[in-house]
Amino acid sequence: MHDILFNYMECRSGEKLTERERDLILTGFARKKMRKRQYFLQEGEVCRRLGFVVSGSARMFSVDEKGREHIIHLALESWWLSDQESSTNLTPSRYYIEVLEDSEVLVISVPDAYELRNKSRCFDLTIRALDKYLVVTLQNRLHAAIAMTSEERFADLSNHYPEFLRRFPMTMIASYLGLSPETLSRIRKNSRHRL
Amino acid sequence: MHDILFNYMECRSGEKLTERERDLILTGFARKKMRKRQYFLQEGEVCRRLGFVVSGSARMFSVDEKGREHIIHLALESWWLSDQESSTNLTPSRYYIEVLEDSEVLVISVPDAYELRNKSRCFDLTIRALDKYLVVTLQNRLHAAIAMTSEERFADLSNHYPEFLRRFPMTMIASYLGLSPETLSRIRKNSRHRL
């Protein structure tokens, strides 16, 4: 089960893991089976763990005063589960992270992950690369949200994450794009008509 | 002029700079005076430099097919200038970074910054902290864009970045929030009426 994480790290960091590093990762990351609809994090908790999705899927969302859900992240295999604001500042999270199907997750505590960065160059480079990747993807999504029309945002998502359209229901895709389900339904209908 | 950067690094990293590290930073970062409306980066260029604003201000924006500008970042003193997507992937940037007043910027090339991270623990921890900070602020802005009303987004900005309202014209604030200038004007008028 850890092999997927080993491959991911070597690919992201561009370096080979040593035997010692593999041992550190095996000891550091615990295997966790999660059932559909189980929470990895709940609003109001401090996020003290980092999760790597081996199989399954998840969503991170907030709930506003009117009870409406707003999905900020969707996660599939080889994605990470965490709220960096909460884990960095040790403040209560405003988000829920919910597993959407029976899933397997490798879990490490935030202090252990910090220690591991000092001990394993490959893990440090992986997290460096992950943070850069997060900055880039968040910047792109923010740009889409402020600069693109609803149609362009859906087309952008379809290009970058076609897997999302196969794995997540359209109500979740709409929320992720900041659109109403009705608007997304209209866009999809019109785009099919144009084909 | 480098003192501001030294202070910033020690504050962000939580570590004291050694004399050797100070020398490396003095050698690594070149002083650059920029005139109002000068570009630090232009669309289509690969971003090969990282800038630290010592004095002045800047904006990072895209221009769409209809010639409309969309501001993705506003920067004041002690903020960084770069397009991480372009500098990480070595792809042409879709953004302009323009200095908005006569400014002083400390500049380092992207490969030199990478080298410096390996040589200076304090600089490495600074960039780690900066990337975490960027992830958190971008996630917050994305959440605001998809989950908040226009009024809430303006209130959120006023709380988190009151300096922005003093330093940047309202047309830029509107673009940064993804609102039309008319909508922002109406929101400000209504919020004054409620006081």
Side-chain angles (χ1 to χ4, degrees), chain A residues 72-86:
Chain A
I72 186 98
H73 293 294
L74 290 169
L76 292 169
E77 289 80 7
S78 294
W79 292 53
W80 294 85
L81 308 180
S82 91
D83 173 12
Q84 291 222 29
E85 179 170 24
S86 172

Side-chain angles (χ1 to χ4, degrees), chain B residues 9-23:
Chain B
M9 283 185 187
E10 292 188 340
C11 178
R12 284 275 165 169
S13 69
E15 300 222 342
K16 276 273 171 201
L17 284 162
T18 63
E19 277 309 307
R20 187 174 161 271
E21 282 178 311
R22 284 174 187 254
D23 286 344

Side-chain angles (χ1 to χ4, degrees), chain A residues 62 73 84 132 139 143, chain B residues 62 73 84 94 132 139 143:
Chain A
S62 70
H73 293 294
Q84 291 222 29
K132 289 267 180 253
Q139 184 169 286
H143 184 259
Chain B
S62 69
H73 293 293
Q84 292 221 30
R94 68 166 106 173
K132 289 266 179 253
Q139 183 168 285
H143 184 259

